[in-house]
Structure formats: C-alpha cells, structure tokens
Amino acid sequence: MKEPTPESTRRCRLGALGLLAAAAGAHGGEPPDSVALARAAETQFPAAVALLRETLAIPNDALFPDHVARNVSWSETQFRARGFTTRRLETGGPPLLLAERADVPAGPVVLVYLQLDGQPVDPTRWDPPTPYEAVLKAPAGAGWTPQPWASLGDEPDPDWRVFGRSSSDAKGPVVMLLAALDALAESERSLPYRLKVIMDFEEELGSPHLPGAVNRYRDALAADVLAIFDGPMHDSNRPTLVYGARGIATITLTVFGPRVPQHSGHFGNYVPNPAQRLAALLAGLEDDGGRVTLPGFYDGVTLDDDVRAMLRETPRDEEALARRIGIAEPERIGATYEEALQYPSLNVRGLRAAWVGDQVRTIIPASATAELDLRLVVESDAERLVGLVRDYVTARGYHLIAGAEPTEAERARHPRLAAFSHEVSYGAFRTPRDAPAGRWLEGALTRVDGAPPVQIRTMGGSIPIAPFVIELGVPAVVVPTVNPDNNQHSPNENLRLGNLAAGISIYLAVLT
C-alpha cells in the first residue's frame, strides 16, 4: 500500500477539526463561560503554585543527562496520575515523551507540544543566586523584593512573580496544562477529543534529534492539529494566538592569530590581532540600520498589501515596547516590529577573546570566536544563507581550516586563517490564519474573556515545529500564556502570578 503523503494526510484530517466545537457540546453540556473558566483556575491556583515550585527545583539543562532523566521521570509521573498512557520515544539523544489520553477514541486528535528543558544558568547573575529554587517576589519601584511563600494568602497579587529558570520558558506552561486537566477532572468533564502531548527535553539545544524522530514515529504522532503551548503573550498580555515562528541556524566563526597570546607591548603593531579582525568581519555584515549587507539575504520575502494589512491588525505600541526593552530606537529592517519579524535575521549571540574585567591582560589574543544565529522565515533557505556568510568570510581573504587549530603549514602559508562551522536546527513554519485549526483555537480563546484573541502572523522566537508540519502535514498554531517581560533565556527569568492563573483558564478553554 502506498504511504500517504503529508499533503494527502492533511486533506483527510482537516474536516475533523470542524467536529471539535460540536464535540464540546456532546460531552458535559454547554461550554463554561469566562467566569466559570476563571473560577476553575482560581480553584486550581494553590496546587499549581506548589507544582511549579516542585518542578522548578529540578535542574533541566539538556547538556546533563541526569537533568534530562529527572525531568522525564517527573513528566511520566504527572501525566500518568491524570489518566494518560506514556511512552518514551528514543531519538539517539534525550528521549521524547508521548502522553496520550483517548476520552473520545474515534474523535479528532489534538497534539500539544511542550518543552521542559531550560537554558544554562550562571548563578552569579541571579538575585538571589538560586536559579533552581523558586523565589516569590513583589514589585518594588524599579526592582523586586523577595516575599515569603506564606504571604500569598487567599487573594494573591497577580503582579507578583515566581523567579526561577524555566518558570516561563517553559515549565510554567506545563504546570498550567496539568492544572487545567485537574480542573477538567474536578468538573467531571471529559475531553472532547483524543489528546496527545509530546514533551521535548532538548529544545534549548535546537532539538537536533527531533526531525528524525518525527519521521520515525509519524504514526504515533499523527494528529489533526498541533497546538504549541510555549512563548510570551502579546504586549497587552491578552489571550494570544501565533500562526508561525522563525526557524534557526547557528554559525561558529573563529579567527586565528599567533600560536599563543603575545605581549601587546613587544608585539603591538607587528602581530595581527584576531579580535580586531573578527570585529571588522562582524561590522561588515550589517549597515548602520541593522540591515544585513549580504546580497540576496532577504530574497524571496515579499510583503504585499494584504500581508501588511494583516500585520497592522496586531496592536503594538512601538514606543512603549522600546521603553520596556531600554532602547532609543529599533533597527530599520521593517517599518514596525511585526514587519521586522517577517524577514530573516543575523545575530551575534556571543563573543570571546582573551580576558576581561579583573582578569584583563596586556596581550594580543591567540584567537577570537563569534557565535552567530540566523533566524529563518518560511521563504528562507538555511543552507543558502549560511553559504552567504561563508562566502563573505572567504571573499575577505580568509582561508578556512578543516580542523580545530591551524596546522604549521597553514600558519606559514595563509596570512588570514579562520574556522567556520554551522548547524541548521529546523526551519520556519506558518499556518494560514483562516485555517480550521486557527478558527477552532480562536473560538476557544474567545471564551476566556469574551473577546477575540490577539492574532500574530509570526513570532520572533524559534520552536522546532517545522518537522511536524512538513513530515505529518499537520497545521500548527502557538498558544502562548506567559508574561512578555519574563526574562526568558536570561538571569532572573520569572512568571507573573496573573499569567499562571490566566494560562490555566486559557488551556482549560482549549481542553473543553
């Protein structure tokens, strides 16, 4: 029998999405209104806070296998306690965890994507230095004051925050879903569809094993719609739907100088400085407005009048956004924030050369390294954009070495030496806003506060969803719930208590 293509699979399944609204009425009567959703979230809130504190105490850097093992085990326990069957999907790296509950065995299938790993931590940058211990804080002027957990009381302040690595990205959303499932059970309602949850434990590493696993386990992961429970809400902190996300590729560029660091007094003006040469390379990649100068970098991206009109529908206070971030003006890639996200970007995400601060030395470094990331849009070809950067480096006279260090022969022959490596993690995706998946989720979120959610064409961040869209032919929509100012990927990451409660309501609306 011929294997169905992703496109034919998609056509067969899209009709099932129209059954979701009817299914809600067939299981448990009329869907609850915004008041009922809020009350259910309020009932589950104390337990959700306790569960959040519990999971934040489990370190979750995917570079450490013991971190992964503890988080996988925790997830299995939580979903099994809520009536799910679980299965570890082996990937050749950290496993994926698939949890499934079939309240309606023959109904539509909703697949939810969640991640449980977090960015590495530098405890010296945290206040206090406890990234894996949840700390409750209240706003105090321009800063935050720690509060005892007992002070939450019966009516917690929604603007208080829980600080801890992955509080927002993305253990908070995991806890919100679990709390919503508990609210569903307390109301003695069942799910109006088959629910599958796929847990990713290496998303912050770029999910390198995910594409192959999606292909390998395509039957187990088959679904009618993919809902991604991740990311920050719109700046207004209103219920939000996002229909696409950028992909990501990374580049490591190292420029070599002397064999070992040299005294800057003895050899300044004589030994080429690799840090200065790397700085010159990086400076030439963008103009003063932040636009990438590589010819063809933005090829294929066309924003017609309809797209621009769609982008204008997303409310955005550009001045307030700049003030919150702390910049005087943005780069000039697009006329607005929304427009800027429709283009690929090139970012210097890290630099290293010799020593700084109280360890600074008067030396010429032996090498200088830049870590770059390329954010991709649907129109981008990742390998082509990486090739543009590589060609730019070689066009400026650099010989790219094959190993980690230049050989003596290479040092003698080539005046400019560099190492260049890259990795394409995954591509971008974009679901049409008028697709059945979007219409269903728009209806669900409208029930949260009686108004349609904010709808965003593309988010700036990257999530590994393209493999699902490409391999399975499943439409994907992001349902973000965390506060926009959550410091994700940075020290002092936090989750606003009001968003924890609202997230439970939002996910309960989706579940019912």
Side-chain angles (χ1 to χ4, degrees):
M1 180 176 178
K2 184 179 180 181
E3 182 77 7
T5 64
E7 177 62 22
S8 65
T9 303
R10 184 187 70 85
R11 286 197 301 268
C12 293
R13 290 184 180 146
L14 285 184
L17 293 176
L19 300 176
L20 288 172
H27 297 273
E30 290 299 317
D33 59 13
S34 59
V35 174
L37 290 169
R39 286 175 178 167
E42 182 179 356
T43 300
Q44 298 300 323
F45 185 80
V49 171
L51 191 60
L52 181 63
R53 293 179 65 187
E54 175 186 313
T55 184
L56 291 181
I58 306 174
N60 64 336
D61 186 335
L63 292 173
F64 298 94
D66 59 319
H67 289 200
V68 174
R70 291 179 64 186
N71 282 277
V72 172
S73 179
W74 183 89
S75 301
E76 287 175 328
T77 299
Q78 295 300 323
F79 279 99
R80 287 173 183 172
R82 290 163 176 84
F84 286 75
T85 59
T86 64
R87 175 186 174 190
R88 296 190 186 192
L89 307 183
E90 299 303 327
T91 68
L96 296 166
L97 181 66
L98 178 63
E100 185 170 0
R101 209 173 95 180
D103 292 16
V104 185
V109 181
V110 174
L111 177 64
V112 168
Y113 171 89
L114 289 165
Q115 70 166 98
L116 212 63
D117 65 315
Q119 287 278 322
V121 297
D122 178 358
T124 65
R125 302 281 301 279
W126 286 73
D127 180 28
T130 52
Y132 293 126
E133 179 182 339
V135 178
L136 181 66
K137 296 185 182 183
W144 302 90
T145 301
Q147 302 291 325
W149 286 99
S151 64
L152 276 177
D154 295 331
E155 296 185 5
D157 188 324
D159 287 325
W160 287 16
R161 308 284 178 102
V162 178
F163 282 73
R165 172 55 86 221
S166 299
S167 53
S168 277
D169 187 19
K171 287 188 173 182
V174 174
V175 169
M176 294 171 197
L177 174 61
L178 295 174
L181 287 165
D182 291 341
L184 189 75
E186 189 169 284
S187 66
E188 299 183 344
R189 293 170 62 90
S190 58
L191 291 164
Y193 44 74
R194 291 174 58 195
L195 178 61
K196 299 179 181 180
V197 180
I198 188 70
M199 305 283 289
D200 188 350
F201 299 92
E202 57 172 354
E203 193 272 349
E204 300 296 356
L205 298 182
S207 300
H209 300 93
L210 183 68
V214 172
N215 181 272
R216 179 179 176 185
Y217 300 106
R218 56 188 305 128
D219 291 340
L221 297 171
D224 298 303
V225 60
L226 172 60
I228 304 105
F229 289 176
D230 193 7
M233 296 167 75
H234 179 260
D235 288 349
S236 63
N237 217 25
R238 287 176 48 209
T240 305
L241 289 179
V242 182
Y243 293 87
R246 296 195 287 187
I248 185 170
T250 56
I251 295 172
T252 300
L253 174 62
T254 298
V255 174
F256 296 98
R259 187 180 299 103
V260 296
Q262 298 294 321
H263 191 292
S264 63
H266 295 320
F267 291 103
N269 292 344
Y270 184 79
V271 173
N273 188 310
Q276 291 175 316
R277 286 186 167 181
L278 177 62
L281 278 175
L282 298 178
L285 286 170
E286 293 184 354
D287 63 21
D288 289 341
R291 190 173 181 84
V292 176
T293 57
L294 304 176
F297 189 81
Y298 301 109
D299 282 2
V301 181
T302 302
L303 305 183
D304 59 25
D305 291 342
D306 289 341
V307 171
R308 293 181 190 278
M310 183 188 307
L311 299 177
R312 286 194 296 270
E313 291 177 10
T314 302
R316 187 78 63 180
D317 187 334
E318 300 276 341
E319 292 183 1
L321 178 61
R323 282 197 303 272
R324 176 168 70 80
I325 298 172
I327 59 173
E329 64 179 24
E331 294 184 323
R332 295 185 292 274
I333 311 302
T336 64
Y337 172 78
E338 307 299 332
E339 190 172 309
L341 299 185
Q342 312 309 310
Y343 294 90
S345 67
L346 189 156
N347 173 61
V348 179
R349 61 178 183 157
L351 291 170
R352 184 178 64 196
W355 298 268
V356 298
D358 58 5
Q359 295 185 350
V360 67
R361 306 167 193 197
T362 50
I363 54 97
I364 297 169
S367 64
T369 298
E371 298 284 358
L372 313 178
D373 65 58
L374 303 175
R375 299 289 175 162
L376 314 168
V377 296
V378 172
E379 294 83 1
S380 301
D381 178 271
E383 293 292 349
R384 187 182 72 84
L385 295 189
V386 169
L388 292 178
V389 180
R390 184 190 296 107
D391 292 346
Y392 165 83
V393 174
T394 57
R396 276 146 186 79
Y398 284 86
H399 172 77
L400 301 184
I401 66 171
E405 291 284 339
T407 65
E408 291 304 310
E410 287 171 326
R411 288 185 179 279
R413 186 178 305 118
H414 303 285
R416 294 177 183 265
L417 291 168
F420 186 103
S421 62
H422 80 283
E423 180 178 0
V424 177
S425 296
Y426 44 82
F429 83 93
R430 188 188 305 132
T431 298
R433 273 179 48 174
D434 59 355
R439 292 201 302 270
W440 166 58
L441 287 168
E442 180 182 359
L445 267 63
T446 298
R447 295 166 50 215
V448 176
D449 60 8
V454 176
Q455 303 192 62
I456 298 174
R457 186 180 191 239
T458 298
M459 69 186 293
S462 300
I463 45 181
I465 301 306
F468 293 95
V469 176
I470 296 170
E471 294 290 342
L472 305 181
V474 57
V477 182
V478 185
V479 187
T481 51
V482 303
N483 42 294
D485 58 345
N486 64 71
N487 289 348
Q488 67 186 89
H489 290 201
S490 298
N492 302 312
E493 180 180 352
N494 63 83
L495 175 63
R496 179 177 173 272
L497 291 182
N499 282 74
L500 175 59
I504 299 170
S505 295
I506 289 170
Y507 292 160
L508 184 56
V510 174
L511 293 178
T512 54

